[in-house]
């Protein structure tokens, strides 16, 4: 009996889990996986902050979006696979740890990607993660005959695209960006082709919880920037930073409130809806982390520690906040009617006007607080009418 239990702990056939499984929650391994991504997100946010503060806005934006794609896409693929096939045997744990090691390699390459436009280390870390994922898909193909075609499509697709990422390192500089775009599209097409063969059995509540947890990770960057503003204000005796810290705190609180507004949003059941929901969160996650970078730029401007103008510093906060509002409106609020249908885009437009006025970060905070208040009133009215 003990021998059989030991074998089951080492290796279990990788069969699809049920979509209606009760009490499905994030595992300690998934939480550990998320924790290791904190470093990569923090370094990407810091790279964006440094470039914008020094006046290199275009370079910083391209580098940030490219680096964040690698971070986000590796996390997304691990998350959705685990939702459908997590066996928690020793082999699965080892492949997850390999993916975590790849995430740490990826994080180590972020500073060089921003400073020298050298994505070699990031590519190696990314490929390590994705090849470990390919092993898991091969296990799924062997253990789940019903989804074998889907699993093999994923395994072959991941392998081919990773070969493309490695070959990209051999290209001349002029071809690197076009090749990057082509490979990003190829990576995004793999789940489209795989899920159309037969949809995997990911758990909607589990996926929603996992996305909420990653939202908290990227929110941590904005919290850190707010804390730094307070600390630097105390050290410099600059009272203006206290106002900026208060505004940053309100912005972070509002972003959290709007994402976690009740009821919790679930990904659509259809393949097209789930892909749109999952892919669209790239803009939610990347914009939240960029808010932290923008607040840091605003602190630098107030302390005269950077080269960004007042308007650039304002837009460093306004643009990611506006992107967040539009992305959240598109993904989580499709059923809104009346005023609710235009509320978030209108708030985004007001946010983009703030850098042309006095104290833009304070104004952005005011718009977000007003948006939270209006959404609460509308939700209360809807609930009252329904009752």
């Amino acid at each position: 009996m003990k021998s059989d239990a030991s074998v089951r702990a080492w290796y279990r056939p990788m069969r699809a889990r049920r979509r209606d499984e009760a009490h499905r929650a994030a595992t300690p391994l998934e939480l550990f996986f998320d924790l290791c991504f904190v470093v990569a997100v923090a370094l990407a946010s810091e790279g964006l902050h440094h470039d914008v503060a020094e006046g290199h806005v275009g370079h910083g934006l391209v580098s940030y979006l490219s680096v964040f794609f690698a971070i986000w896409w590796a996390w997304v693929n691990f998350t959705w696979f685990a939702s459908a096939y997590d066996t928690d045997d020793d082999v699965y744990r080892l492949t997850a740890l390999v993916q975590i090691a790849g995430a740490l390699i990826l994080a180590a390459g972020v500073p060089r990607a921003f400073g020298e436009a050298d994505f070699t280390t990031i590519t190696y870390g990314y490929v390590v993660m994705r090849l470990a994922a390919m092993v898991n898909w091969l296990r799924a193909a062997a253990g789940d005959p019903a989804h074998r075609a889907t699993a093999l499509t994923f395994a072959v697709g991941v392998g081919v695209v990773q070969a493309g990422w490695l070959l990209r390192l051999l290209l001349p500089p002029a071809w690197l960006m076009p090749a990057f775009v082509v490979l990003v599209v190829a990576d995004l097409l793999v789940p489209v082709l795989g899920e159309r063969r037969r949809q995997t059995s990911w758990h909607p509540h589990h996926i929603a919880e996992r996305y909420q947890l990653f939202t908290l990770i990227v929110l941590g960057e904005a919290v850190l920037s707010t804390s730094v503003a307070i600390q630097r204000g105390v050290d410099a005796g600059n009272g203006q930073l206290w106002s900026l810290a208060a505004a940053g705190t309100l912005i972070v609180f509002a972003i959290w409130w709007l994402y976690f507004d009740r009821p919790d949003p679930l990904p659509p059941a259809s393949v097209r809806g789930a892909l749109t929901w999952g892919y669209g969160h790239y803009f939610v996650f990347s914009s939240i982390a960029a808010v932290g970078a923008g607040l840091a730029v605003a602190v630098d401007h107030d302390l005269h520690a950077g080269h960004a103008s007042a308007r650039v510093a304002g837009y460093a906060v306004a643009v990611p906040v506006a992107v967040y509002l539009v992305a959240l409106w598109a993904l989580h609020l499709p059923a809104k009617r009346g005023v609710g249908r235009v509320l978030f885009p209108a708030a985004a437009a007001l946010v983009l006007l703030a850098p042309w006025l006095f104290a833009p970060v304070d104004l952005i905070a005011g718009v977000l607080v007003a948006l939270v208040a209006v959404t609460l009133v509308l939700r209360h009215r809807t609930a009252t009418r329904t009752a």
Side-chain angles (χ1 to χ4, degrees):
M1 294 292 292
K2 291 183 179 179
S3 177
D4 291 343
S6 178
V7 170
R8 287 196 297 271
W10 168 252
Y11 183 87
R12 299 186 182 97
M14 189 166 272
R15 300 189 177 94
R17 300 180 66 154
R18 299 197 328 269
R19 293 189 63 142
D20 60 348
E21 183 178 342
H23 309 296
R24 183 71 190 277
T27 66
L29 179 61
E30 289 175 317
L31 297 177
F32 183 43
F33 186 84
D34 289 355
L35 178 64
C36 294
F37 270 79
V38 172
V39 179
V41 173
L43 289 172
S45 179
E46 175 58 29
L48 178 62
H49 157 220
H50 181 268
D51 275 3
V52 174
E54 293 301 317
H56 309 305
V57 178
H59 176 269
L61 185 60
V62 171
S63 299
Y64 175 74
L65 294 177
S66 303
V67 168
F68 203 91
F69 171 80
I71 298 170
W72 164 79
W73 189 240
W75 180 89
V76 162
N77 281 270
F78 173 85
T79 296
W80 288 76
F81 180 88
S83 188
Y85 286 107
D86 183 359
T87 54
D88 196 34
D89 58 15
D90 293 341
V91 175
Y92 179 79
R93 288 187 173 193
L94 288 172
T95 56
L97 294 177
V98 170
Q99 293 182 71
I100 290 173
L104 297 177
I105 296 172
L106 188 155
V110 171
R112 180 169 292 182
F114 276 92
E116 305 173 22
D118 182 358
F119 284 78
T120 303
T121 305
I122 285 182
T123 300
Y124 289 154
Y126 180 73
V127 170
V128 167
M129 298 183 70
R130 301 296 284 129
L131 291 181
M134 185 178 71
V135 171
N136 281 333
W137 281 115
L138 291 174
R139 283 191 63 192
D144 185 14
H147 292 87
R148 182 166 296 160
T150 295
L152 288 176
T153 300
F154 271 97
V156 172
V158 169
V160 169
V161 176
Q162 299 327 294
W165 283 113
L166 291 174
L167 291 173
R168 176 181 175 271
L169 298 177
L170 305 177
L171 295 177
W175 292 15
L176 291 179
M177 185 51 66
F180 176 85
V181 174
V182 170
L183 289 168
V184 165
V185 173
D187 248 334
L188 294 175
L189 283 176
V190 172
V192 175
L193 299 175
E195 293 289 337
R196 285 184 175 178
R197 302 294 296 270
R198 183 170 183 177
Q199 190 173 8
T200 53
S201 58
W202 48 269
H203 195 288
H205 290 276
H206 176 249
I207 288 293
E209 181 192 15
R210 298 291 292 117
Y211 272 65
Q212 290 168 359
L213 291 172
F214 201 78
T215 301
L216 294 177
I217 287 176
V218 293
L219 264 173
E221 297 310 309
V223 172
L224 177 61
S225 296
T226 303
S227 177
V228 168
I230 297 173
Q231 178 258 319
R232 293 177 72 178
V234 171
D235 292 346
N238 188 329
Q240 188 175 357
L241 284 183
W242 286 100
S243 174
L244 179 61
T249 301
L250 291 175
I251 289 173
V252 172
F253 288 174
I255 288 175
W256 175 87
W257 192 291
L258 293 170
Y259 189 91
F260 290 93
D261 194 19
R262 298 171 292 268
D264 294 336
L266 297 177
S270 66
V271 171
R272 182 176 180 179
L275 289 172
T276 301
W277 190 89
Y279 288 3
H281 268 79
Y282 169 79
F283 301 99
V284 174
F285 295 152
S286 61
S287 62
I288 294 175
V291 169
L295 290 173
V297 171
V299 171
D300 285 348
H301 175 266
D302 284 358
L303 291 177
H304 308 289
H307 296 91
S309 66
R311 189 160 296 158
V312 170
Y315 272 115
V317 179
V319 170
V321 168
V323 171
Y324 169 76
L325 292 176
V326 173
L328 192 64
W329 168 76
L331 293 176
H332 288 180
L333 306 171
K336 290 293 184 181
R337 297 292 184 270
V339 176
R341 184 178 289 274
V342 299
L343 195 57
F344 277 63
L350 292 175
V351 165
L352 291 175
L353 289 175
W356 293 87
L357 304 172
F358 178 74
V361 178
D362 300 76
L363 292 175
I364 292 169
V367 171
L368 290 180
V369 170
L371 178 61
V372 170
V374 173
T375 56
L376 290 177
V377 171
L378 292 177
R379 178 157 53 79
H380 176 71
R381 287 182 177 178
T382 301
T384 303
R385 290 172 183 171
T386 303

